[in-house]
């Protein structure tokens, strides 16, 4: 038989599952199932071996286990020792097997006290429960919970029919205010309906018959703006006008072309003169003709060290001869500086010319 020591007492300090509960038993509870000290159902009953009386474990500790090792049963005053006290698990199981009804009058359930506490209290369809969504504070019978979660809860998540995004039902207006899939009427007022909001710009730019467009001949001078569905009629009715605009544009382009041709010819003539002059400088007969323009200005620049060296265009000593050019120090160089004009010829062999030209 298991002995009960004070330090091993079962749930002596915490609340018990039977505390502060009124049960609706299907039949009257025999007195032996109640504690003679608290007059409630025995909670984790203990039994005194010497006399056989039973008490709640907590009642035993509060009323009998405070003073020394020798005790007297409060019923028959028989003396017992603490070592003669044991947990009566069989009696506890008997009490937990008592038949009870659900505390909700509308609930038809009956069963053992153990089944009530371990199962039915978590399953009873008539018990009030709070919606499990942390944002919802609605309390209802458990039988309504499933329907509430599926069809009534304002915080249940739904999928948008237009864009398939998810949102809470109570946020539907906020979602629809920004949803790109919500169908709308054309902003131009055409007969097209149910245009997704995100496709409105494409519809207006590419499809809407009431969109105002520039004339297709704007590039030739027609500044008219016409609705898309009227564009064909505009083109048919203004054929001569567009033709006149096109002719005028062609005339303007012709004049511009002539002006540019004239300018191009001038540039061509200048290039030809430069080419002729360069050809004279590269006759290939060993003659270098070089005219230094603005001599006075260039001489002063040489004296002031701004441009001390001038070099000519290259020339050839013959068709396959040396390539050479002239370097001129107008203010002289080295010992001749300030006294003479130095002229130096620099030449390259035909092989070097062929390699580096």
């Amino acid at each position: 038989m298991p002995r009960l020591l004070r330090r091993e007492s079962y749930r002596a300090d915490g609340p018990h599952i039977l505390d502060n509960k009124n049960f609706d038993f299907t039949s009257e509870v025999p007195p032996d199932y109640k504690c003679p000290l608290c007059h409630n159902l025995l909670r984790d009953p203990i039994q005194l071996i010497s006399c056989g009386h039973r008490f709640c474990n907590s009642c035993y500790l509060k009323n009998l286990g405070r003073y020394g090792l020798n005790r007297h049963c409060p019923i028959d005053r028989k003396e017992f020792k603490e070592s003669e006290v044991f947990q009566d698990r069989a009696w506890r199981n008997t009490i937990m097997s008592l038949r009870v009804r659900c505390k909700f009058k509308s609930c038809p359930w009956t069963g053992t006290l153990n089944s009530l506490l371990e199962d039915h209290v978590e399953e009873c369809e008539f018990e009030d429960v709070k919606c499990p969504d942390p944002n919802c504070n609605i309390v209802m019978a458990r039988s309504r919970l499933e329907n509430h979660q599926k069809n009534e809860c304002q915080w249940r998540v739904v999928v948008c029919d237009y864009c398939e995004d998810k949102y809470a039902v109570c946020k539907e207006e906020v979602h629809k205010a920004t949803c790109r899939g919500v169908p709308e009427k054309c902003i131009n007022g055409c007969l097209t309906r149910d245009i997704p909001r995100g496709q409105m710009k494409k519809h207006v730019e590419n499809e809407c018959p009431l969109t105002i467009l520039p004339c297709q001949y704007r590039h030739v001078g027609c500044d008219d703006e016409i609705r898309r569905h009227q564009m064909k009629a505009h083109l048919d009715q203004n054929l001569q006008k567009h033709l006149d605009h096109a002719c005028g544009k062609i005339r303007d382009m012709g004049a511009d072309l002539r002006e540019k041709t004239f300018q191009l010819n001038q540039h061509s003539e200048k290039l030809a003169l430069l080419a002729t002059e360069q050809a004279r400088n590269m006759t290939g007969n060993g003659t270098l003709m070089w005219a230094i323009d603005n001599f006075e200005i260039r001489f002063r620049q040489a004296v002031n060290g701004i441009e001390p060296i001038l070099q000519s265009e290259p020339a050839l000593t013959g068709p396959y001869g040396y390539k050479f050019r002239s370097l001129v120090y107008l203010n002289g160089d080295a010992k001749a500086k300030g006294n003479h004009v130095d002229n130096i010829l620099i030449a390259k062999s035909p092989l070097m010319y062929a390699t580096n030209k």
Side-chain angles (χ1 to χ4, degrees):
M1 218 177 265
R3 296 291 184 267
L4 178 68
L5 300 180
R6 184 173 182 178
R7 64 179 179 274
E8 299 172 347
S9 56
Y10 180 66
R11 301 183 66 174
D13 300 323
H16 193 274
I17 192 171
L18 299 180
D19 285 349
N20 302 317
K21 287 185 176 66
N22 295 318
F23 300 103
D24 184 9
F25 293 94
T26 58
S27 60
E28 185 176 356
V29 178
D32 289 345
Y33 293 165
K34 295 182 180 181
C35 175
L37 297 179
C38 67
H39 307 293
N40 294 319
L41 278 179
L42 284 164
R43 293 164 296 174
D44 300 321
I46 57 96
Q47 187 177 27
L48 306 182
I49 296 176
S50 59
C51 62
H53 291 116
R54 297 181 179 88
F55 306 95
C56 295
N57 178 46
S58 58
C59 292
Y60 164 74
L61 293 176
K62 291 178 181 178
N63 296 279
L64 303 176
R66 296 178 178 175
Y67 311 104
L69 296 177
N70 295 321
R71 307 288 183 269
H72 293 85
C73 174
I75 305 301
D76 55 18
R77 304 307 297 172
K78 288 184 178 181
E79 186 176 354
F80 67 91
K81 297 180 180 180
E82 187 170 2
S83 60
E84 297 175 333
V85 180
F86 72 96
Q87 291 179 348
D88 197 339
R89 292 191 177 94
W91 205 249
R92 177 185 182 279
N93 293 337
T94 301
I95 293 173
M96 297 303 289
S97 298
L98 293 173
R99 305 285 297 179
V100 293
R101 302 182 186 91
C102 179
K103 67 178 179 179
F104 298 104
K105 299 302 181 183
S106 301
C107 181
W109 182 91
T110 59
T112 65
L113 180 59
N114 187 68
S115 296
L116 173 70
L117 297 175
E118 292 191 359
D119 300 316
H120 184 68
V121 292
E122 301 295 333
E123 301 171 354
C124 180
E125 296 293 320
F126 295 88
E127 184 179 16
D128 287 340
V129 293
K130 178 183 174 298
C131 176
D133 191 295
N135 296 303
C136 180
N137 295 317
I138 302 298
V139 177
M140 73 217 78
R142 183 178 279 110
S143 59
R144 290 181 48 209
L145 180 60
E146 182 177 357
N147 181 65
H148 170 78
Q149 289 180 292
K150 289 182 177 179
N151 305 310
E152 299 175 354
C153 180
Q154 293 300 302
W155 287 96
R156 71 186 187 277
V157 176
V158 295
V159 178
C160 178
D161 294 332
Y162 306 115
C163 69
E164 298 185 354
D165 283 351
K166 296 180 180 180
Y167 59 89
V169 171
C170 60
K171 301 294 183 180
E172 183 173 10
E173 294 302 321
V174 176
H175 173 74
K176 285 186 175 180
T178 57
C179 176
R180 292 177 57 80
V182 171
E184 294 182 339
K185 298 179 180 179
C186 174
I187 58 176
N188 286 338
C190 79
L191 297 179
T192 306
R193 297 291 185 269
D194 299 333
I195 304 170
R197 182 182 290 148
Q199 299 294 319
M200 185 65 68
K201 181 179 179 181
K202 178 181 178 181
H203 167 76
V204 170
E205 292 180 351
N206 303 319
E207 303 168 0
C208 180
L210 298 182
T211 299
I212 297 176
L213 302 171
C215 175
Q216 295 178 11
Y217 290 93
R218 168 172 285 188
H219 63 286
V220 297
C222 181
D223 295 327
D224 293 343
E225 293 184 340
I226 314 97
R227 295 189 184 277
R228 179 179 276 113
H229 72 96
Q230 297 173 335
M231 182 63 73
K232 186 177 184 304
H234 169 77
L235 296 177
D236 293 341
Q237 295 169 6
N238 294 274
L239 183 60
Q240 185 61 48
K241 175 183 175 181
H242 294 154
L243 183 60
D244 293 341
H245 279 307
C247 291
K249 187 71 171 179
I250 292 173
R251 285 193 297 271
D252 293 341
M253 292 173 63
D256 185 60
L257 179 60
R258 286 190 293 274
E259 175 64 24
K260 286 183 169 53
T261 302
F262 175 74
Q263 295 176 357
L264 180 61
N265 290 335
Q266 286 185 322
H267 288 303
S268 297
E269 291 175 0
K270 290 181 180 180
L271 289 174
L273 291 174
L274 291 174
T276 301
E277 182 178 352
Q278 185 175 18
R280 286 198 305 267
N281 293 337
M282 295 187 66
T283 58
N285 58 6
T287 302
L288 174 62
M289 298 180 64
W290 181 21
I292 299 176
D293 58 344
N294 300 316
F295 183 83
E296 293 184 3
I297 295 175
R298 289 176 176 261
F299 178 74
R300 285 197 296 271
Q301 290 177 339
V303 172
N304 295 325
I306 298 174
E307 190 177 9
I309 305 173
L310 299 179
Q311 62 178 345
S312 68
E313 293 296 328
L316 297 174
T317 59
Y320 302 101
Y322 287 90
K323 181 180 179 181
F324 68 96
R325 69 172 69 237
S326 174
L327 300 182
V328 175
Y329 292 81
L330 295 183
N331 192 39
D333 185 39
K335 294 182 179 181
K337 190 172 184 178
N339 298 317
H340 301 85
V341 174
D342 281 350
N343 184 18
I344 301 173
L345 290 177
I346 299 177
K348 291 184 179 179
S349 70
L351 179 59
M352 294 175 62
Y353 170 63
T355 304
N356 299 309
K357 69 176 179 179

